[in-house]
Amino acid sequence: MMELGWLLLLMIGLLAALLFRQWRELTVRRLELNRQLEKREALVAQFRQEIDGTSGELEQITTTLDTVDATLAELREELESLDKERKALKERRLQPLVLLDRQTLAAHHFWELTIANPDFGETATARMAPRDYVDDWVSGRTYLVGAETAEDATKRATQRFSGSMGYRVTNAVAFRRR
């Protein structure tokens, strides 16, 4: 029985030694895992800090982009407006200003009148004339007329370009330098 007691004690000792060894390995493993966890938590904190900084920069960039987009839209509208104005000036510049007669040169007040003949394209003269010339008469040519009032300028132009021949005198406006 004594042998059984020693054997039992030996087994308990071996079991205790095995348990102590496993406990020690688990403790070392736990310490190693705690160190790895601390490193990873530090990395996560660093990444969060970088993300927060990047988010602030992203907000600034977004605000800047919105401002640039608004400025671009304004510039496009302004460019479109300037392009329309340029086209209008180009068309205006292409349309010659014609003197009604020599008396116009001695006048103190000048008027721009549009004289058109919408039926000009159907005349015999139009068939032999260049297309631009015909289009000018159909859409209207701008004449410079010297007179004291717009009515006087219209009367002078109407005397020269009769309504019975299909001419229309319109748009008597004070002359402005081109």
Side-chain angles (χ1 to χ4, degrees):
M1 239 329 166
M2 183 90 156
E3 238 179 67
L4 191 58
W6 281 105
L7 191 61
L8 195 57
L9 272 175
L10 183 65
M11 282 179 69
I12 290 175
L14 282 173
L15 188 58
L18 278 171
L19 286 174
F20 179 76
R21 183 175 168 209
Q22 283 182 345
W23 175 79
R24 191 181 72 194
E25 286 175 4
L26 287 174
T27 302
V28 167
R29 178 77 178 135
R30 193 184 85 201
L31 289 172
E32 179 63 30
L33 289 175
N34 279 341
R35 277 195 297 267
Q36 288 177 4
L37 181 63
E38 287 173 5
K39 285 180 183 178
R40 291 188 180 167
E41 285 175 345
L43 279 174
V44 167
Q46 180 183 354
F47 289 149
R48 283 191 177 142
Q49 192 175 23
E50 289 176 9
I51 288 171
D52 289 343
T54 305
S55 295
E57 290 174 4
L58 182 60
E59 287 177 23
Q60 288 176 345
I61 289 170
T62 303
T63 303
T64 303
L65 281 175
D66 290 343
T67 304
V68 167
D69 284 342
T71 304
L72 278 174
E74 289 174 14
L75 289 173
R76 282 186 185 112
E77 288 175 14
E78 187 176 342
L79 182 61
E80 197 173 293
S81 173
L82 289 172
D83 195 38
K84 285 179 184 176
E85 188 176 327
R86 181 190 57 81
K87 286 179 182 176
L89 287 172
K90 185 178 179 185
E91 286 176 11
R92 185 172 175 209
R93 195 177 310 123
L94 292 176
Q95 185 181 38
L97 186 61
V98 182
L99 288 175
L100 183 67
D101 53 24
R102 285 187 176 184
Q103 291 175 348
T104 298
L105 295 173
H108 293 293
H109 300 284
F110 299 101
W111 302 91
E112 285 185 40
L113 295 129
T114 302
I115 301 174
N117 187 341
D119 301 324
F120 188 78
E122 299 168 11
T123 64
T125 306
R127 286 186 215 119
M128 297 180 352
R131 188 74 210 154
D132 292 345
Y133 181 76
V134 174
D135 290 343
D136 277 353
W137 276 114
V138 171
S139 62
R141 298 176 79 187
T142 305
Y143 275 79
L144 183 64
V145 180
E148 288 299 315
T149 64
E151 292 90 23
D152 290 342
T154 303
K155 282 180 190 176
R156 287 191 60 213
T158 304
Q159 288 172 353
R160 177 124 182 243
F161 297 100
S162 172
S164 63
M165 295 180 71
Y167 292 100
R168 283 185 303 149
V169 179
T170 58
N171 297 337
V173 293
F175 172 72
R176 60 196 180 284
R177 189 174 191 146
R178 293 181 175 215

